[in-house]
Amino acid sequence: MIKHKPSIKGKVKGSKMNISDVAKKTGLTSKAIRFYEEKGVVTPPLRSENGYRSYSVRHLDELNLLRQARQVGFTLDECRELVALFNNPARHSADVKARTLQKADEIAAHIEELHAMRARLLALAEACPGDDSAECPIINNLAGCCSQPGGKRG
């Protein structure tokens, strides 16, 4: 008995889809797809005689790559480069790996900054009595004033 893989409508090579089909298949909104096209991040689709966009499987692949790259923190410009690499049969995986490791390093640095910000916020909260008085060490510290007791400058 021969088992057939279920066919996915619109995934047949050479098939054409409209923007709402592509939106459903990629999880992107039609507005986001048009935005990415306008910014030159993805290959522009062909236009039918009536002016409607006509997408291919290749567009789906580009948009899926783009969506997932955005989810892991790549910027729009970086996504443009990744889509260009995706479409370049002469690409080198070393280039993609280098960009990915660079992005991981940037995220690690950002996490360190966030940890420092959190530590400062917790220290500010610890210094505040959190009562009914108007005196607030958090406001005073953030404003950079009032280093003397009673909030008076010297």
Side-chain angles (χ1 to χ4, degrees), residues 21-68:
D21 293 333
V22 173
K24 288 175 193 166
K25 291 177 185 298
T26 61
L28 295 168
T29 64
S30 296
K31 184 176 179 178
I33 294 167
R34 286 189 295 271
F35 172 80
Y36 292 137
E37 290 170 17
E38 179 183 307
K39 295 297 180 186
V41 181
V42 294
T43 306
L46 297 174
R47 297 282 185 145
S48 61
E49 287 182 20
N50 61 7
Y52 290 126
R53 292 168 173 88
S54 182
Y55 297 90
S56 68
V57 173
R58 188 65 166 193
H59 291 106
L60 280 180
D61 294 340
E62 287 181 7
L63 290 163
N64 280 321
L65 181 150
L66 175 60
R67 180 180 48 80
Q68 293 190 61

Side-chain angles (χ1 to χ4, degrees), residues 5 12 18 60 66 84 91 103 105 113 122 131:
K5 289 184 182 178
V12 179
N18 65 33
L60 280 180
L66 175 60
R91 71 177 173 262
K103 179 52 64 180
D105 288 345
E113 292 170 6
L122 292 174
D131 57 19

Side-chain angles (χ1 to χ4, degrees), residues 93-109:
S93 67
D95 295 333
V96 180
K97 183 176 182 176
R99 284 173 169 79
T100 302
L101 291 174
Q102 179 182 0
K103 179 52 64 180
D105 288 345
E106 290 171 12
I107 290 170

